[in-house]
Amino acid sequence: MTASNPIASRLAHFLAQHLPYSNLSEEERLSLTSQARLQHLPKDGIFFRAGEQQTGWVYVVYKGLVHLMLHGSIELFDTAEPGDTFGIRAVLSGKPYVMTAICAQETLAIAIPVERFMPLLQQNARFLSYFAAGLASGMLPRYQELDTLQQPADLFFPEAVSLASLVSNRQLVWASPDTPLPQVAQLMLQKSVGSVVLTDAEGKVAGILTDKDLRRALAEQADPLRCKAADIMSKPVVCIAPTSSWLEAYLQMTTHSIRHLVITADGSPATAPQAVVSEHDLLGSSSPALISLLRRLSNATDTETLAHLRNQAEIRLKRLLQNNIPLQTLSQLAARINQLTVEVAIRLAQQTLPATPAHGWCWLALGSFARHEQILRTDQDNALLFADELTVQRPALLEFARQVNRILETCGYQACPAEVMASNSRWCLSLSEWKRQLSYWIDTPEPKAVMLTTIFFDMLPVGGDISLYKDLLAYRKELLSEQPRFLSFLAANALSSPPAFNWLGELATESEGSHKNQFDLKARALAPYADIARLLALQHGLEENSTSARFHQVAQREPNHTILLQDAARAYEHLLQLRMKRAVAQADSGRWLQLSSLSPLERQVLKKALMPLRELRSIIQVRFHTNLFRP
């Protein structure tokens, strides 16, 4: 085949450089390319349109760039660059295309006949698993599907949370035990699930087949074409009632050393299955050990114990990160841990410094802590606000602040290199002094003043008299209403960050220095999103601190941009979780990303998570006339 068809050989060689084709044999790649064709389209050329029946081809970009657009939308949904496959969803579902594939530049694509592609999916479980894993994990769909778990309302006391609330929006996916294994794998792919319940002729539970069972079968060299679901399914199945609590489910899993429970009407295999609850679902709603840890943390009586328990909490958070727990859960949990730690540090400092005023002050957390985004410990950002009548006691308050900062440093929160801490006399001020400081920043928006507002405008009261904080917040709102032009300077500052994409539409990396060819997750992604969310929240007079919550609240007030803002919220959560996971894996800040270490799928997801940012920047530029304002 190679000698008689040199074009097929060249195309097969190209595919060998890209997943999942690199995992195929040379013969399998040639089977795909032997009847493939090269399709050339100019810029703005269209491979297929949303609503059209599938063309009979699966496409792989050879050269160029393809944009995938939702029907009736001008918003970019996805991109396909060299080595990326597109058009496969319609092939797998048998339904019309849901997107239009338009060339962002002159493009050459390998068009593989569906009749060559589908047999390989059915015969090669590893080839199928690549597409199944991507679709089932929620990493290929739209931004809002980056997080798919619905979280219970009470994170910290889940014993009262029923299983029904965890799976209320989930449909049962089932099959017969006699179903061939490739069909079960394809069902999991199409339904985006990690398990299938197998039922007998009476509709009762016969077994369960999970993605782990599939991987085990592949590892044991089982022939997927000869296997049926019954050959590798797990049985007997442990069932549980929907009214059972989280704690009951947790004990069942640990007792039986399993990771899935089937929910039936009465909790027995004798009734029809309703849903499946996984260990991942339960991890997403915390655990008894964590509950115990939080309680011991809040009751710590000395700095050494507090530091030890905070270290234990950090280990737990890292474990949850590695288990892909959604960011919403991690943020709430980390925020609770951080708040408890500071509250106890304040109490311990008061006990050692009896001269500290008991009332009339408020401890303020700043930056990522205030935004509930400090999932892993970083350096401290805090300040102290006190009533005007306590000005004469400033020395005692400064000593108190120094003691709290020292305790927090012992607990793993490093001192801020820029000294943005309450122990710095610049940031230990009376209410009147803080008001004068805010007035100066807003009335005189020089670059340093604007930069400082990005820190101090993310503010959260952690201990003391919250009424002082509310007074200061109301004053800030009044100032901004009197000086709306300040928001334009804040907008210009938000747009001053380096772009996420270069002029070719590729992810931009550093061109020199110690991080050459690396992507800066903080400066090019997270900080711009946070800056824009803060800006829009201030424009609408919102008091929310969390970046994703700010986007969601603004979305309710801007119907023309609702989808974009919701996409931005979820994209930001994905990027923050990516950074945290990298920080754990690399034992560093997680800021710098080596793009070559990402799989094609991971790189595609990263690009997708940055797309709302590009559109938001355009909106901000027009809305706030940033070309006229420079910080």
Side-chain angles (χ1 to χ4, degrees):
M1 183 182 296
T2 301
S4 60
N5 194 342
I7 294 179
S9 179
R10 178 173 293 185
L11 297 181
H13 176 73
F14 172 81
L15 292 179
Q17 301 173 53
H18 303 279
L19 285 171
Y21 308 99
S22 57
N23 291 330
L24 300 177
S25 67
E26 180 66 14
E27 182 179 355
E28 287 172 323
R29 285 192 290 269
L30 285 170
S31 73
L32 291 175
T33 60
S34 61
Q35 295 184 24
R37 70 184 190 189
L38 278 173
Q39 186 169 344
H40 171 266
L41 288 178
K43 185 178 184 297
D44 296 328
I46 294 176
F47 283 95
F48 51 78
R49 296 180 183 276
E52 293 179 349
Q53 293 296 322
Q54 61 106 345
T55 61
W57 304 90
V58 173
Y59 301 94
V60 181
V61 178
Y62 188 77
K63 291 182 179 179
L65 182 68
V66 175
H67 283 176
L68 300 171
M69 318 288 288
L70 286 172
H71 179 64
S73 173
I74 62 172
E75 181 187 344
L76 182 62
F77 173 91
D78 212 341
T79 63
E81 56 189 47
D84 289 342
T85 303
F86 66 101
I88 192 171
R89 283 178 176 273
V91 170
L92 293 175
S93 67
K95 298 178 181 179
Y97 292 108
V98 296
M99 289 177 284
T100 296
I102 183 170
C103 297
Q105 55 189 247
E106 185 179 7
T107 299
L108 198 60
I110 304 171
I112 302 172
V114 169
E115 57 267 23
R116 288 281 176 170
F117 201 88
M118 290 303 293
L120 197 54
L121 279 177
Q122 296 165 359
Q123 297 166 17
N124 190 314
R126 288 182 175 85
F127 188 58
L128 172 63
S129 69
Y130 175 86
F131 297 103
L135 294 172
S137 67
M139 296 189 75
L140 288 180
R142 195 165 169 76
Y143 312 119
Q144 51 260 49
E145 297 182 25
L146 287 170
D147 55 334
T148 56
L149 291 180
Q150 182 180 6
Q151 300 303 316
D154 192 342
L155 172 66
F156 302 107
F157 297 94
E159 291 90 339
V161 176
S162 70
L163 297 180
S165 67
L166 290 176
V167 295
S168 59
N169 295 324
R170 206 172 300 174
Q171 289 186 335
L172 178 74
V173 179
W174 61 276
S176 164
D178 295 327
T179 307
L181 205 55
Q183 289 185 28
V184 178
Q186 193 144 354
L187 179 63
M188 293 171 71
L189 167 72
Q190 292 173 344
K191 299 295 185 180
S192 300
V193 295
S195 63
V196 174
V197 175
L198 304 172
T199 58
D200 59 22
E202 297 179 355
K204 297 178 182 178
V205 181
I208 186 170
L209 194 150
T210 68
D211 50 5
K212 183 180 179 181
D213 295 324
L214 286 174
R215 291 194 298 271
R216 185 180 66 246
L218 291 173
E220 294 172 354
Q221 303 300 314
D223 185 350
L225 293 179
R226 296 185 179 182
C227 282
K228 294 182 179 179
D231 297 329
I232 67 168
M233 71 181 184
S234 297
K235 61 178 182 179
V237 177
V238 179
C239 299
I240 194 166
T243 53
S244 300
S245 69
W246 175 93
L247 182 57
E248 290 172 298
Y250 178 80
L251 292 174
Q252 285 273 42
M253 286 187 182
T254 55
T255 299
H256 296 282
S257 299
I258 56 177
R259 296 187 175 185
H260 294 80
L261 296 173
V262 176
I263 300 175
T264 62
D266 64 359
S268 77
T271 52
Q274 297 178 347
V276 174
V277 63
S278 69
E279 183 185 51
H280 190 284
D281 298 331
L282 300 187
L283 278 172
S285 58
S286 189
S287 75
L290 186 54
I291 302 302
S292 173
L293 178 60
L294 290 170
R295 289 171 178 164
R296 286 183 288 137
L297 190 68
S298 65
N299 294 324
T301 56
D302 57 74
T303 301
E304 183 180 359
T305 301
L306 180 63
H308 170 72
L309 292 172
R310 184 59 186 85
N311 288 336
Q312 292 299 307
E314 191 81 351
I315 293 170
R316 185 72 189 207
L317 287 168
K318 289 179 178 179
R319 242 177 77 191
L320 293 173
L321 267 170
Q322 292 167 334
N323 277 282
N324 295 317
I325 301 304
L327 189 79
Q328 182 182 7
T329 300
L330 286 170
S331 297
Q332 293 179 58
L333 177 56
R336 181 62 175 150
I337 290 170
N338 289 332
Q339 177 132 354
L340 281 175
T341 306
V342 176
E343 288 175 354
V344 176
I346 288 172
R347 171 164 52 81
L348 295 177
Q350 287 177 300
Q351 291 172 358
T352 58
L353 297 170
T356 304
H359 308 286
W361 53 265
C362 182
W363 186 274
L364 300 174
L366 308 171
S368 61
F369 188 123
R371 296 195 302 272
H372 291 169
E373 293 164 9
Q374 193 179 94
I375 296 173
L376 300 178
R377 290 172 298 192
T378 58
D379 56 301
Q380 300 181 48
D381 286 315
N382 45 58
L384 195 65
L385 161 67
F386 54 86
D388 292 344
E389 55 267 26
L390 292 185
T391 302
V392 294
Q393 298 193 54
R394 191 191 305 269
L397 289 167
L398 276 169
E399 182 56 35
F400 162 67
R402 281 191 285 269
Q403 182 67 2
V404 175
N405 287 150
R406 282 194 292 264
I407 294 173
L408 291 177
E409 191 169 1
T410 303
C411 291
Y413 299 89
Q414 298 175 1
C416 175
E419 297 186 349
V420 180
M421 297 189 296
S423 55
N424 184 339
S425 58
R426 288 187 63 195
W427 315 124
C428 181
L429 304 174
S430 69
L431 178 60
S432 295
E433 290 168 336
W434 272 115
K435 287 181 176 180
R436 285 196 294 272
Q437 183 67 77
L438 291 183
S439 296
Y440 174 77
W441 287 337
I442 292 173
D443 293 339
T444 314
E446 58 186 11
K448 186 175 181 180
V450 174
M451 183 274 292
L452 286 170
T453 62
T454 65
I455 300 172
F456 286 90
F457 279 13
D458 294 338
M459 190 182 343
L460 182 73
V462 179
D465 188 350
I466 296 180
S467 65
L468 291 167
Y469 161 79
K470 291 182 177 179
D471 192 335
L472 185 61
L473 214 59
Y475 183 73
R476 185 187 71 184
K477 189 173 183 178
E478 180 184 341
L479 284 176
L480 290 174
S481 66
E482 294 173 354
Q483 293 280 10
R485 66 190 293 270
F486 174 78
L487 294 181
S488 293
F489 287 94
L490 205 58
N493 179 76
L495 299 185
S496 66
S497 58
F501 297 94
N502 61 24
W503 65 279
L504 290 173
E506 304 296 327
L507 291 170
T509 57
E510 303 304 299
S511 59
E512 58 186 7
S514 59
H515 297 290
K516 185 177 181 180
N517 297 326
Q518 295 181 358
F519 182 82
D520 189 342
L521 268 174
K522 180 179 179 180
R524 296 184 186 273
L526 291 167
Y529 266 129
D531 288 343
I532 289 173
R534 182 188 307 107
L535 171 68
L536 294 175
L538 290 171
Q539 184 189 27
H540 288 280
L542 303 175
E543 296 182 4
E544 178 60 57
N545 279 334
S546 160
T547 298
S548 59
R550 281 169 168 169
F551 278 129
H552 282 302
Q553 289 191 13
V554 174
Q556 297 173 8
R557 290 160 173 78
E558 298 195 18
N560 291 337
H561 299 123
T562 297
I563 294 177
L564 172 64
L565 292 162
Q566 291 173 342
D567 287 347
R570 287 159 176 82
Y572 181 81
E573 291 175 359
H574 172 75
L575 291 166
L576 184 57
Q577 188 157 18
L578 173 63
R579 180 179 179 182
M580 293 299 101
K581 290 181 70 174
R582 290 277 162 173
V584 173
Q586 299 166 184
D588 59 18
S589 69
R591 173 175 180 171
W592 299 98
L593 195 60
Q594 191 72 47
L595 296 182
S596 60
S597 69
L598 301 180
S599 69
L601 181 60
E602 290 173 325
R603 192 164 60 250
Q604 188 76 345
V605 173
L606 175 59
K607 292 177 69 175
K608 188 193 311 182
L610 291 165
M611 289 173 190
L613 181 59
R614 185 159 49 186
E615 189 169 348
L616 283 170
R617 290 173 69 103
S618 298
I619 292 171
I620 295 303
Q621 185 175 19
V622 173
R623 181 180 298 185
F624 294 96
H625 309 288
T626 56
N627 58 316
L628 303 177
F629 296 86
R630 291 292 181 267

